[in-house]
Amino acid sequence: MADKEASVYIIDVGSSMGEEHNGRKESDLEWAMHYVWDKITSTVATGRKTATVGVIGLRTDGTRNELGDEDNYENISVLQEIGQILMPDLRSLRQKIQPSSTERGDAISALVIAIQMITKYCKKLKYRRKILLLTNGRGSMDADDIADIAKKINEDEIELVVLGVDFDDPDYGFKEEDKDPLKAKNEEVLKNLVDGCSGVVGTLEQAIVELGQPRLKSTRPVASYKGQLTLGDPEQYKSAMCIDVERYPRTMVAKGPSASQFVHSSDLSNGHASTQSSATMLPDGDPLGAGQTAANPNGLTSVKNARTYQVIDESAPGGTRDVDRDELAKGYEYGRTAVHISESDENVTKLETKAALEIIGFVPMAKYDHYMNLSAASQIIAQRTNEKAKMAISSLIHALFELEDYAVARLVTRDDRSPVLVLLAPEITPDYECLIDVQLPFAEDFRSYRFPPLDRVATVSGKMLTEHRNLPGDALTEAMSNYVDQMDLSTIGTDDEGQPTEYMRMEDTFSPVLHRIDQAVRWRAVHPSEPIPPPYEILTRFSKPPEDVQSNAKRHLEKLVSTAGVKKGKTFPPKLKGRRRDRETVKPLSGLNISSLLSHTPRTKQISSDNPIPEFKQLLATTEDPSAIQDAAKQMASIIKSHIAHSFGDSGYGRAVEEMRVMREELVELEEPEIWNVFVRELKKKVLSGDLGGERREIWWELRKNGLGLVDRKVSGLSAVSEEEAKEFLSSR
């Protein structure tokens, strides 16, 4: 379980914090808040009620704290009491944290208030306590009691961090020129205070630079298997090996935060108001009554999904009938039929197994192909409190290492789980020993594809040629080899001691997608309308080869290009991938078109409403006449409108959406986007005006969700609709 946390941020909002210094294009407060918002939003993202935050404003225009009646505590305001902070609190804080019009306010007194807040909230309970003071050091400070304050901080085990705007930091290599004497004195006072309580003081520039360093989330280890590792059958042989072990993940794909579906409350039609808002928008997910969505600051309403099951029933309205899930039966496809297996017989398809990890053999390391790894890696250790098991598994690990062998084992993580084969590899380090396991494929999992060899060409007669126009010669092979050697990344990096090392170490390579999503979400939480900043440099560092490597390899690349005879090809304009009707048709010498002679398709064909999609595709495939294409589109449009107008509730909406998707794709491929745009504009008017059998607005939400709006220039170069117009068409009411 994660530790309980109580953090208090003291933010200097004095009038001098609203000024710009040292060539920055933003005020000191705006610059400093980059760090504060990053830390607070990271706390909010955890979603834990035990991760609490409080905020104090220093040098504010007013005074709002419990000690405000005493001397030296004026112009200090508690902006946020300690507690779980949510989205509305973030937006409220952003409005409150603005530069004031005063320079009065004592940072040391603000520390006393922060200590009092933590003591009152945490009492004697076990908390991780932290105070962060962010100031430019330009206000007055009373340093008479810093020794007693440092003693109190140590007694309460509070971590104190002081970040100063343009504070001198020899370790980081920053020194402000022409420093104000008062600021220099205050820096010395704060450093003495921090030294007395084992805290940290630094310059804000270093803290902001380090924001780009991704923070790795520590995960609690969860055992995937706890049981015995056996060699032999212990039930039959006393000499069988049995070791109590535990299995934990070693590598696992880190997934980014998933997005939930919401809709703006204003988008809901009458009678569709939500009764539940997102838990991230209101404390504890308090339910709101219909029509009370205004209490939600974002106007968002959660979306609930519902699933229905239908069967064909000619006697039912619309030709389909809804059935309950309990009425469904499971069946396995067998050829063109389905084999029904009842619930009482369902166990016959399951393999009864018992949880076990059984070694079934060994394989030399040199004979194992690493492409056989089928899964992420896990690690197997001895039972934590079992000294005998630790000694036994250590003996097995060293035996495998010395013999240069791998073990092959059968693994069933839990009773009645499917068995898998795993490969056990020994790992020995100065700090620990363990077995690394990866899943092995069964025969059905292996894909063996045969490709022609790259170093020879087989002729029709079966002769193998080693010299051919499609095979590289010695000069080309040497040129490619030299180029690859120049692009080697294994030694161009440098370690902390300046020694050559690999360029892309795993611990320095972070997932760009995962951390970019996290950066964008945290920024948007605080800045709802401002553009999202570009990704951090550390996330894009490895998206291209290093510049020095490219420059060193340029000469070899040019040699490779000239040796291979690479020439620049023609550039074709985009959006010309459709089935061009104006292309020249190859005519047979006899003048007879076999396809037309064998085709029994009439020149004009009516599309059936029972099977519109295949017939629409067939009709378009057998014509090149623009008028025939337009006629087919009109028929399809009429069928779609009919399905919507005669739909019983929303039973026919899915069919209509699929028909529209096919119609749109076919017309785009035939380079007739205008036919589709005319149709969808007309359909929208009829839907919103109620001309298709009454209230049918729900079908419009389905079209918006599936992106079935206007075809813009980005989709088809022949469209006259801009991207902005297409977005407006879908978002408009």
Side-chain angles (χ1 to χ4, degrees):
M1 182 177 178
D3 295 334
K4 293 185 287 187
E5 303 174 6
S7 303
V8 176
Y9 293 84
I10 304 174
I11 303 171
D12 189 346
V13 296
S15 59
S16 59
M17 288 289 288
E19 302 172 359
E20 300 177 3
H21 296 94
N22 289 332
R24 293 186 290 268
K25 297 182 179 180
E26 55 186 348
S27 67
D28 292 348
L29 181 59
E30 292 172 337
W31 187 51
M33 290 308 296
H34 289 310
Y35 179 83
V36 176
W37 291 133
D38 183 89
K39 294 299 181 182
I40 293 180
T41 52
S42 297
T43 303
V44 175
T46 64
R48 294 191 292 115
K49 293 185 177 181
T50 55
T52 56
V53 172
V55 180
I56 296 175
L58 170 63
R59 296 197 291 173
T60 58
D61 289 325
T63 301
R64 190 167 65 87
N65 63 78
E66 293 185 356
L67 304 177
D69 297 335
E70 302 182 18
D71 295 337
N72 297 329
Y73 292 95
E74 297 90 354
N75 300 101
I76 301 174
S77 300
V78 177
L79 305 180
Q80 172 77 34
E81 294 287 351
I82 298 180
Q84 183 186 15
I85 190 167
L86 300 174
M87 183 77 75
D89 303 319
L90 281 177
R91 303 286 169 83
S92 176
L93 277 175
R94 187 164 183 252
Q95 299 298 324
K96 296 177 181 177
I97 300 177
Q98 302 291 338
S100 67
S101 58
T102 182
E103 286 290 276
R104 298 184 57 189
D106 183 10
I108 305 299
S109 300
L111 275 174
V112 174
I113 295 174
I115 296 171
Q116 183 190 39
M117 290 174 61
I118 290 178
T119 303
K120 180 179 178 181
Y121 182 83
C122 300
K123 300 181 175 63
K124 297 295 182 180
L125 301 177
K126 185 178 180 180
Y127 271 84
R128 290 179 55 189
R129 300 167 168 88
K130 181 178 180 179
I131 296 176
L132 187 144
L133 170 61
L134 196 153
T135 179
N136 62 1
R138 296 179 180 272
S140 59
M141 294 185 189
D142 185 359
D144 294 340
D145 300 324
I146 61 172
D148 295 335
I149 294 173
K151 181 180 178 182
K152 177 64 175 176
I153 291 175
N154 290 329
E155 290 175 354
D156 292 351
E157 297 181 348
I158 298 175
E159 177 188 359
L160 176 61
V161 177
V162 177
L163 293 178
V165 178
D166 298 329
F167 274 25
D168 294 343
D169 191 340
D171 295 335
Y172 183 67
F174 178 84
K175 180 177 177 61
E176 185 181 20
E177 301 296 335
D178 301 326
K179 187 183 295 290
D180 181 82
L182 177 60
K183 181 177 181 179
K185 177 183 176 182
N186 290 336
E187 286 186 30
E188 191 65 27
V189 170
L190 292 174
K191 288 178 181 178
N192 293 335
L193 172 62
V194 167
D195 291 340
C197 59
S198 301
V200 177
V201 62
T203 184
L204 181 63
E205 181 178 354
Q206 180 181 5
I208 291 181
V209 169
E210 292 178 353
L211 289 181
Q213 182 72 18
R215 292 178 289 273
L216 302 183
K217 180 182 179 182
S218 59
T219 57
R220 183 171 61 92
V222 178
S224 57
Y225 172 78
K226 288 185 177 181
Q228 288 190 332
L229 169 64
T230 62
L231 177 59
D233 188 353
E235 295 182 359
Q236 296 186 19
Y237 306 101
K238 293 183 179 180
S239 59
M241 181 189 74
C242 298
I243 306 175
D244 294 320
V245 297
E246 299 176 358
R247 180 175 183 258
Y248 295 91
R250 181 62 174 268
T251 60
M252 185 175 293
V253 176
K255 299 180 179 179
S258 58
S260 302
Q261 291 182 333
F262 295 92
V263 64
H264 281 279
S265 303
S266 58
D267 290 351
L268 297 176
S269 57
N270 294 334
H272 290 78
S274 171
T275 59
Q276 181 72 30
S277 88
S278 168
T280 61
M281 303 304 163
L282 292 175
D284 300 325
D286 293 334
L288 294 173
Q292 295 181 354
T293 55
N296 189 334
N298 293 316
L300 295 178
T301 301
S302 59
V303 177
K304 297 181 179 179
N305 298 324
R307 177 176 294 181
T308 60
Y309 300 89
Q310 296 179 336
V311 295
I312 299 176
D313 187 350
E314 299 295 341
S315 61
T320 59
R321 175 172 56 87
D322 292 346
V323 295
D324 294 334
R325 190 177 186 279
D326 298 337
E327 300 180 36
L328 303 180
K330 289 186 177 180
Y332 290 84
E333 186 176 352
Y334 184 70
R336 300 296 297 173
T337 61
V339 177
H340 167 59
I341 296 180
S342 62
E343 292 185 9
S344 59
D345 296 333
E346 190 174 350
N347 290 333
V348 301
T349 62
K350 295 182 178 180
L351 185 65
E352 295 184 2
T353 57
K354 296 292 184 181
L357 179 58
E358 304 164 337
I359 296 177
I360 59 178
F362 300 90
V363 59
M365 293 182 180
K367 293 187 177 181
Y368 177 73
D369 296 321
H370 288 278
Y371 64 79
M372 304 288 282
N373 296 353
L374 195 62
S375 68
S378 298
Q379 56 188 6
I380 297 173
I381 61 174
Q383 193 178 59
R384 301 194 180 197
T385 58
N386 192 331
E387 296 298 328
K388 183 179 179 180
K390 293 179 181 179
M391 183 66 68
I393 198 170
S394 177
S395 301
L396 175 62
I397 292 170
H398 280 268
L400 291 174
F401 180 80
E402 293 173 5
L403 296 175
E404 297 184 350
D405 279 347
Y406 294 137
V408 179
R410 175 182 178 270
L411 172 64
V412 180
T413 55
R414 285 176 175 76
D415 292 346
D416 296 328
R417 289 283 182 89
S418 300
V420 296
L421 290 177
V422 294
L423 186 82
L424 307 181
E427 183 178 36
I428 301 176
T429 69
D431 299 325
Y432 66 90
E433 299 174 349
C434 69
L435 290 171
I436 304 295
D437 78 79
V438 292
Q439 185 178 341
L440 295 175
F442 291 109
E444 296 80 4
D445 302 324
F446 190 73
R447 299 290 186 267
S448 180
Y449 301 113
R450 298 184 67 86
F451 299 96
L454 299 177
D455 59 346
R456 59 190 181 276
V457 173
T459 64
V460 177
S461 61
K463 184 179 179 181
M464 292 294 178
L465 302 179
T466 56
E467 294 184 3
H468 190 269
R469 61 184 179 87
N470 292 334
L471 295 177
D474 294 339
L476 181 57
T477 302
E478 182 182 0
M480 177 60 76
S481 177
N482 294 336
Y483 176 65
V484 171
D485 291 341
Q486 289 297 319
M487 294 294 291
D488 184 14
L489 301 178
S490 60
T491 58
I492 67 167
T494 54
D495 57 17
D496 296 337
E497 299 178 355
Q499 298 298 321
T501 185
E502 61 179 316
Y503 177 63
M504 293 177 60
R505 296 187 302 172
M506 185 186 67
E507 54 268 25
D508 297 331
T509 308
F510 303 96
S511 170
V513 175
L514 191 151
H515 294 289
R516 176 57 174 168
I517 293 176
D518 179 66
Q519 177 193 7
V521 171
R522 287 189 284 109
W523 177 271
R524 182 59 74 229
V526 181
H527 309 86
S529 58
E530 298 179 16
I532 297 175
Y536 295 124
E537 186 272 337
I538 195 172
L539 301 180
T540 58
R541 179 193 307 172
F542 302 129
S543 60
K544 56 184 178 181
E547 293 183 1
D548 53 346
V549 173
Q550 293 187 70
S551 59
N552 293 336
K554 184 177 180 181
R555 177 171 56 88
H556 297 275
L557 178 60
E558 294 173 350
K559 176 67 175 177
L560 176 62
V561 170
S562 62
T563 305
V566 178
K567 297 180 180 179
K568 187 176 182 180
K570 296 181 180 179
T571 302
F572 295 94
K575 310 303 181 184
L576 295 179
K577 300 178 181 180
R579 302 196 300 261
R580 300 289 297 182
R581 299 187 306 277
D582 55 353
R583 65 182 182 272
E584 183 179 356
T585 305
V586 179
K587 297 181 180 180
L589 295 176
S590 62
L592 299 177
N593 191 328
I594 302 301
S595 299
S596 62
L597 291 175
L598 297 178
S599 176
H600 296 285
T601 305
R603 292 186 177 180
T604 58
K605 179 181 177 181
Q606 295 296 322
I607 300 176
S608 171
S609 61
D610 296 330
N611 193 29
I613 292 178
E615 294 183 8
F616 178 67
K617 289 184 175 182
Q618 293 171 6
L619 188 56
L620 294 182
T622 57
T623 183
E624 295 182 358
D625 185 8
S627 61
I629 295 175
Q630 193 163 8
D631 179 68
K634 286 183 179 180
Q635 293 186 55
M636 195 66 171
S638 178
I639 293 172
I640 293 171
K641 294 175 186 176
S642 176
H643 286 164
I644 296 174
H646 296 90
S647 173
F648 184 73
D650 60 354
S651 60
Y653 291 171
R655 187 176 184 182
V657 169
E658 181 62 18
E659 291 165 353
M660 291 183 65
R661 183 188 64 79
V662 173
M663 179 181 174
R664 188 178 192 267
E665 290 178 355
E666 291 293 319
L667 292 176
V668 169
E669 190 174 0
L670 286 169
E671 300 180 355
E672 292 288 356
E674 191 58 28
I675 297 178
W676 166 263
N677 290 340
V678 171
F679 158 70
V680 77
R681 284 191 177 103
E682 179 187 0
L683 179 69
K684 178 181 178 180
K685 291 180 181 178
K686 289 182 177 294
V687 168
L688 299 183
S689 62
D691 292 342
L692 294 178
E695 178 60 42
R696 298 290 183 183
R697 290 178 178 266
E698 191 171 346
I699 185 63
W700 181 246
W701 312 133
E702 292 292 330
L703 299 183
R704 292 176 62 189
K705 182 174 67 175
N706 288 275
L708 296 177
L710 296 174
V711 175
D712 56 30
R713 298 190 190 98
K714 185 177 181 181
V715 178
S716 174
L718 300 177
S719 175
V721 178
S722 64
E723 293 185 45
E724 292 74 15
E725 185 179 353
K727 291 179 181 179
E728 178 64 23
F729 179 80
L730 276 181
S731 61
S732 59
R733 309 293 174 259

